[in-house]
Amino acid sequence: EFATGDVIESTPALGHNGYLYIGSNDGKLYAIDTRTAFKVWEFNTGKRIASAPTVGVDGTVYLGSSNGKVYALNGETGAEKWHFNAGSWVQTSPAIGPDGTIYAGTANGVNTSNKMYGINGSTGAKIWETSGFGELHSAPSVGANGLIYFGSNDNKVYALESNGTLKWEFETGDGVSSSPA
């Protein structure tokens, strides 16, 4: 077992290096060596981390924080590679597209003003943003067809093209926090 400084809402991610990455409401992302159960490093965002980290094929760890930022970290050392300022809480777990684009959405408490972002996975530069959603707690999923699927608390499931253009929306009757598969 490993104790963090607060409640854990984040789902852990396992890296190819045997490290378990998990965020905590203490504002820190922890890298824990699964062989020894010892902390390898921690990265402090200063605000709650409810989103699950995502690990890229190169070992980069991507995460969102309620400080309004998406981060890319070196999975071995915890060193920050870049961060992207989304402007409000990022509770969705980042998704990685086949071209390395990072997709993450916001949850600012105001319906129809939340955004889904396409972010350059190498540099952290914004590629596009699409707005008009309720709070996004649902981690996006990227289909083999390149569409980005996610749910919203505005009672809809959305599909966006890889350039951020709305492809379709589906009315569910209640908010969607779970992630599509």
Side-chain angles (χ1 to χ4, degrees), residues 13 21 29 41 49 51-65 69-75 81-82 92-96 100-104 119-124:
Y21 304 101
L29 179 77
W41 54 259
I49 300 173
S51 80
T54 303
V55 182
V57 293
D58 67 350
T60 299
V61 179
Y62 302 94
L63 74 139
S65 173
K69 295 179 182 173
V70 177
Y71 293 91
L73 307 175
N74 179 304
K81 292 183 171 188
W82 55 257
T92 65
S93 301
I96 304 171
T101 299
I102 305 301
Y103 303 106
I119 305 164
N120 182 303
S122 298
T123 66

Side-chain angles (χ1 to χ4, degrees), residues 13-180:
L14 187 61
H16 298 295
N17 56 5
Y19 293 174
L20 185 72
Y21 304 101
I22 191 160
S24 173
N25 282 1
D26 65 4
K28 297 176 183 175
L29 179 77
Y30 295 91
I32 304 163
D33 189 323
T34 58
R35 297 169 292 265
T36 64
F38 289 116
K39 177 179 72 176
V40 180
W41 54 259
E42 66 184 37
F43 181 81
N44 192 351
T45 70
K47 294 280 187 170
R48 181 178 82 136
I49 300 173
S51 80
T54 303
V55 182
V57 293
D58 67 350
T60 299
V61 179
Y62 302 94
L63 74 139
S65 173
S66 60
N67 70 1
K69 295 179 182 173
V70 177
Y71 293 91
L73 307 175
N74 179 304
E76 292 292 328
T77 66
E80 182 178 323
K81 292 183 171 188
W82 55 257
H83 70 266
F84 171 77
N85 189 356
S88 58
W89 287 21
V90 179
Q91 292 190 0
T92 65
S93 301
I96 304 171
D99 63 353
T101 299
I102 305 301
Y103 303 106
T106 63
N108 66 16
V110 181
N111 245 353
T112 72
S113 68
N114 292 280
K115 298 176 182 178
M116 180 61 69
Y117 288 98
I119 305 164
N120 182 303
S122 298
T123 66
K126 178 175 73 173
I127 300 171
W128 55 260
E129 70 179 63
T130 302
S131 60
F133 313 109
E135 284 193 348
L136 303 178
H137 299 279
S138 167
S141 296
V142 182
N145 58 4
L147 292 178
I148 302 117
Y149 304 98
F150 58 94
S152 172
N153 76 347
D154 64 3
N155 307 343
K156 295 179 183 175
V157 173
Y158 293 94
L160 300 181
E161 300 280 358
S162 60
N163 64 4
T165 304
L166 180 66
K167 175 79 170 175
W168 54 258
E169 60 186 58
F170 176 79
E171 181 77 37
T172 62
D174 206 350
V176 180
S177 293
S178 64
S179 301

